[in-house]
Amino acid sequence: MFRRAFWFTAGAAAGVWATTKVNRQLKKLTPESLAAQAADKAVEAGHRLKDFALDVKAGMTQREDELNDALGLRRDAIDPVKLDNVTALPGPRRLRAIENDHTTHRPTFSYDRNEDH
């Protein structure tokens, strides 16, 4: 008799445990829960991306300072008088070269795609 009561109690406990486990999994699969999980993942990815961008920016600044030191172009060593003599870098050469290129042959006709049909 004790053996039957033991197995009955063990079966009931296993059933309650399984039912609870299944209900938790079903709640995780509701649309609201999935939307909340997706939003949390998106926010987490945004934070990681922001941290990465800040790390890249810090690395760029550090490397720029190293290059400026190596070339003797320290920002704090530049006199305000010398800033008047600084000229801007020229614009993109490739675009100017393409605009002024008169040596390439350009067709004088236009092709109508509807002629073949």
Side-chain angles (χ1 to χ4, degrees):
M1 182 155 148
F2 288 110
R3 202 182 336 180
R4 286 183 185 174
F6 170 76
W7 287 114
F8 177 78
T9 306
V16 169
W17 177 80
T19 303
T20 304
K21 194 84 164 167
V22 168
N23 284 335
R24 283 184 188 164
Q25 291 298 323
L26 287 176
K27 285 181 183 178
K28 286 183 183 179
L29 296 176
T30 61
E32 296 85 14
S33 178
L34 292 175
Q37 289 175 11
D40 290 342
K41 295 288 184 183
V43 168
E44 183 180 334
H47 287 303
R48 287 183 185 170
L49 187 61
K50 180 182 175 185
D51 291 341
F52 174 73
L54 291 174
D55 288 344
V56 168
K57 186 176 179 181
M60 286 173 42
T61 304
Q62 179 184 358
R63 182 64 179 150
E64 183 178 349
D65 290 341
E66 290 172 1
L67 291 173
N68 286 337
D69 288 343
L71 296 173
L73 299 173
R74 291 192 47 97
R75 285 187 223 155
D76 54 351
I78 296 176
D79 294 333
V81 177
K82 291 183 181 178
L83 289 177
D84 296 335
N85 298 333
V86 176
T87 59
L89 295 174
R93 293 183 187 177
R94 184 170 189 270
L95 292 178
R96 280 191 273 152
I98 291 173
E99 290 172 357
N100 297 329
D101 186 18
H102 299 292
T103 60
T104 58
H105 174 71
R106 292 188 176 92
T108 57
F109 64 90
S110 65
Y111 178 71
D112 186 11
R113 289 176 25 179
N114 293 326
E115 287 180 1
D116 295 339
H117 302 287

